[in-house]
Amino acid sequence: MTPELSFRAGLKDVLPTVFGYIGVGLAFGIVANTSHLSLLMVAGLSFIVYAGSAQFIIASMLVAHDPLSAIMLSTFLVNSRMILMSTSLAQAFRHESLTKNLLIGSLVTDETFALAMNKRNRTEGHLSFAWQSAANVVAYLVWGVATILGAVLGSFIQNPTQFGFDFALTAMFIGLVYLQLISDKHLGLTRQLLVMIFVALIYYISLRFTSANLALLIATILGCFFGMELKKCH
């Protein structure tokens, strides 16, 4: 990854993450097919909802015939972390128009956010609309196509769990965490590990009193404050 912030550089930088989108996208398509979701519904979830973890949850809740209100609330809670990510990312686009910020925010994902944070480490904190748009659009299109292909392939796979497809999303997030740990020299390994341990503990404690989705939101927000305090101490 170079400091260049052109559209072409964005295409080049996002390519390594494409394999993650393909793997998880295929997994979702296969799982969705075995959950009896139509090809049109899979495409709609991928191109309109566009939220990997939430799409897995939506598919399972639809199969369980959960009410629409519960599905919408669960989707919001799972994706609420994107509010924090977009807020953080927006600091690099203060000079851009509201329209451009909305376009960036609507397509940002965990992967493109992590990619942007790594890029900022090499550009003294700078990003460009062209570079971020390239990363976002490629990720968006690859994810959509991969999920549709997965749904088609799903008709030939009766039990996707035997191939570990249900673990694909977890594996991808582990990879993102590792990439963050080794690339962000500004925060330091020790500080990042302390925040991770704190978030894990808060999440575990919160699970005793609330749902998993809400516990994740609470742990994320408190983790942000904890990280801020750590930066003040150093």
Side-chain angles (χ1 to χ4, degrees):
M1 184 181 289
T2 66
E4 186 181 351
L5 288 169
S6 65
F7 187 87
R8 184 176 181 179
L11 294 177
K12 182 179 179 181
D13 291 339
V14 78
L15 283 180
T17 69
V18 163
F19 297 101
Y21 282 104
I22 293 174
V24 180
L26 289 172
F28 170 72
I30 292 170
V31 171
N33 179 271
T34 56
S35 299
H36 306 294
L37 299 186
S38 67
L39 194 62
L40 181 61
M41 186 172 292
V42 171
L45 285 172
S46 297
F47 287 111
I48 299 176
V49 177
Y50 186 45
S53 55
Q55 288 179 219
F56 278 92
I57 292 173
I58 291 172
S60 63
M61 294 183 75
L62 285 173
V63 171
H65 301 291
D66 288 325
L68 182 60
S69 57
I71 295 175
M72 293 175 65
L73 179 60
S74 296
T75 302
F76 173 77
L77 290 176
V78 170
N79 285 335
S80 58
R81 69 188 186 283
M82 304 309 299
I83 298 175
L84 302 175
M85 291 184 183
S86 296
T87 301
S88 176
L89 193 60
Q91 306 307 309
F93 297 100
R94 290 179 177 179
H95 58 287
E96 300 289 0
S97 66
L98 176 60
T99 300
K100 288 185 176 181
N101 273 273
L102 289 174
L103 288 173
I104 291 172
S106 62
L107 292 181
V108 71
T109 64
D110 297 284
E111 296 77 19
T112 56
F113 173 79
L115 188 68
M117 293 301 102
N118 291 329
K119 188 70 171 183
R120 293 184 72 177
N121 292 330
R122 293 166 172 77
T123 61
E124 299 182 352
H126 299 293
L127 291 173
S128 72
F129 176 75
W131 182 90
Q132 189 67 52
S133 295
N136 284 352
V137 171
V138 169
Y140 176 71
L141 294 177
V142 170
W143 171 258
V145 172
T147 58
I148 292 173
L149 288 176
V152 174
L153 292 174
S155 58
F156 304 101
I157 300 176
Q158 298 301 320
N159 183 17
T161 57
Q162 67 179 337
F163 298 103
F165 288 121
D166 54 331
F167 191 70
L169 194 66
T170 304
M172 184 178 66
F173 276 113
I174 292 174
L176 288 174
V177 170
Y178 175 73
L179 181 63
Q180 173 66 25
L181 287 174
I182 65 173
S183 62
D184 198 331
K185 307 299 182 183
H186 175 67
L187 291 176
L189 179 61
T190 302
R191 190 183 302 171
Q192 293 184 80
L193 288 175
L194 285 174
V195 172
M196 290 173 61
I197 293 172
F198 176 83
V199 170
L201 287 174
I202 295 299
Y203 178 70
Y204 178 76
I205 294 172
S206 299
L207 283 175
R208 296 175 175 270
F209 308 102
T210 185
S211 66
N213 292 332
L214 186 56
L216 178 62
L217 178 60
I218 293 172
T220 301
I221 294 175
L222 292 181
C224 290
F225 286 114
F226 180 70
M228 289 171 56
E229 293 302 316
L230 280 182
K231 290 185 69 174
K232 292 178 182 179
C233 296
H234 292 75

